[in-house]
Amino acid sequence: MLASTRGVALAGFAFCVLMMAVALALEHIVGLAPCPLCIFQRVGVIATAIVLAVAALHNPVGRIGRALYGVLSLITVAGGAFVAGRHVWLQSLPADEVPSCGPNLDYMMDMLPLQDVVAMVLTGSGECAEISFSLLGLSLPAWTLIGFLFLAMAPLSLLWLAVTARR
């Protein structure tokens, strides 16, 4: 089953669902409010889930289709991993080097163009530097980064299937 495009895509999609279930449980059951970088990481997970769901539905058997879904899902995983890595980096800064928080995400989304919101969140999210929860000594962004690294196995597997496909 996992040697097929559909199997790989469904396994990756299931992992995305698991990642989102954990994020939503931490928000709605534990009461941890997501910061702007957490929200961007969720967008990365959801974008990857969408690409993998379409790949599973389409189920291409040729090189081009598998490669296309592999590359698209690898781009979304890499984007999410980049944001998670930035988040981990912010949390590792000394308190005096943390950038200012700025306005909250809802305000920025209402008042600014999307590209300005993305730039502001990625360059100066001091509120994201706060570690509000950790498990086994790792913060949630560190766990999310690990999740993205595991999730990368799905796009890489799709690319491997594309390389080894007969047609």
Side-chain angles (χ1 to χ4, degrees):
M1 171 83 174
L2 286 181
S4 70
T5 303
R6 180 168 286 143
V8 168
L10 286 175
F13 177 80
F15 194 74
C16 290
V17 170
L18 175 66
M19 287 179 73
M20 283 306 301
V22 169
L24 293 172
L26 288 170
E27 179 180 355
H28 297 288
I29 296 171
V30 178
L32 296 175
C35 71
L37 287 175
C38 292
I39 292 169
F40 281 23
Q41 290 166 60
R42 289 180 184 189
V43 170
V45 172
I46 293 168
T48 303
I50 290 169
V51 173
L52 292 173
V54 172
L57 291 171
H58 182 208
N59 194 29
V61 293
R63 290 178 186 222
I64 294 173
R66 288 174 171 174
L68 177 66
Y69 289 118
V71 168
L72 290 175
S73 55
L74 191 58
I75 289 169
T76 58
V77 168
F82 170 78
V83 174
R86 167 97 174 132
H87 201 165
V88 170
W89 175 76
L90 273 174
Q91 290 181 334
S92 71
L93 290 175
D96 61 331
E97 293 181 26
V98 173
S100 64
C101 291
N104 72 24
L105 187 60
D106 290 332
Y107 176 80
M108 288 189 290
M109 292 295 290
D110 289 340
M111 302 306 288
L112 300 171
L114 183 60
Q115 66 269 18
D116 291 347
V117 173
V118 171
M120 286 182 73
V121 169
L122 290 178
T123 58
S125 294
E127 68 184 286
C128 298
E130 179 183 327
I131 299 175
S132 55
F133 181 85
S134 65
L135 177 66
L136 300 175
L138 296 175
S139 66
L140 287 177
W143 282 109
T144 305
L145 180 57
I146 292 168
F148 276 118
L149 295 177
F150 276 111
L151 185 56
M153 289 190 296
L156 293 174
S157 295
L158 289 174
L159 290 171
W160 176 254
L161 288 173
V163 168
T164 59
R166 291 199 172 131
R167 51 181 168 128

